[in-house]
């Protein structure tokens, strides 16, 4: 069983920055896909950014140009650097992992079927 633990959430003012981290209990160096997702109360979870085994990155529209997804295989950690934050970026951020390709959708923020999920970290952006 793989465990994912997010950290780095908090409250910041609009225009500020945050770095989210996701520490994984397993060796992520060969993981097919990892990603960040956000959920706000009353709405469906939405993909934010993903990174695949070859470090190819994909972002959902609003994150492009402001967020950067990265990973450190030596530390088994996934990151999300978020800049120029706005109140609409608020929500609970979850990291997820899919160690092996399962024949489903390719790695991208539109993919929601991941094998492992963290419990989330709350981000609140005030105006």
């Amino acid at each position: 069983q793989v465990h994912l633990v997010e950290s780095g959430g908090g409250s910041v003012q609009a225009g500020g920055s945050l770095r989210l981290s996701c520490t994984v209990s397993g060796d992520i160096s060969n993981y097919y896909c990892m990603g960040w997702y956000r959920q706000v109360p009353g709405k469906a979870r939405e993909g934010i950014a993903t990174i695949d085994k070859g470090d190819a990155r994909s972002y959902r529209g609003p994150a492009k140009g402001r967020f950067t997804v990265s990973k450190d295989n030596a530390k088994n950690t996934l990151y999300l650097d978020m800049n120029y934050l706005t109140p609409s970026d608020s929500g609970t951020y979850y990291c997820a992992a899919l160690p092996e390709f399962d024949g489903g959708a390719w790695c991208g923020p539109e993919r929601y079927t991941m094998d492992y999920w963290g419990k989330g970290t709350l981000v609140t952006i005030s105006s």
Side-chain angles (χ1 to χ4, degrees), residues 3 6 12 14-15 25 30 37 44 47 75 79 81 90 104 112 121 124:
H3 297 282
E6 301 94 338
V12 297
S25 62
N30 289 313
Y37 298 78
K75 295 182 179 180
Y79 300 101
D81 289 294
S90 298
Y112 294 90
T121 185
T124 304

Side-chain angles (χ1 to χ4, degrees), residues 36 49 57 59 63 65-70 79-83:
W36 288 97
R57 297 164 170 81
Y59 300 91
R66 298 189 301 127
F67 293 3
T68 302
V69 60
S70 62
Y79 300 101
L80 184 67
D81 289 294
M82 305 187 292
N83 299 305

Side-chain angles (χ1 to χ4, degrees), residues 6 35-39 45 92-96 117-120:
E6 301 94 338
W36 288 97
Y37 298 78
R38 179 179 68 224
Q39 189 166 23
R45 191 171 297 184
T92 299
Y93 283 71
Y94 299 89
C95 67
W117 293 84
K119 294 184 178 181

Side-chain angles (χ1 to χ4, degrees), residues 11-29:
S11 298
V12 297
Q13 290 189 326
S17 300
L18 280 175
R19 171 175 249 205
L20 305 184
S21 300
C22 173
T23 302
V24 183
S25 62
D27 179 357
I28 69 170
S29 59

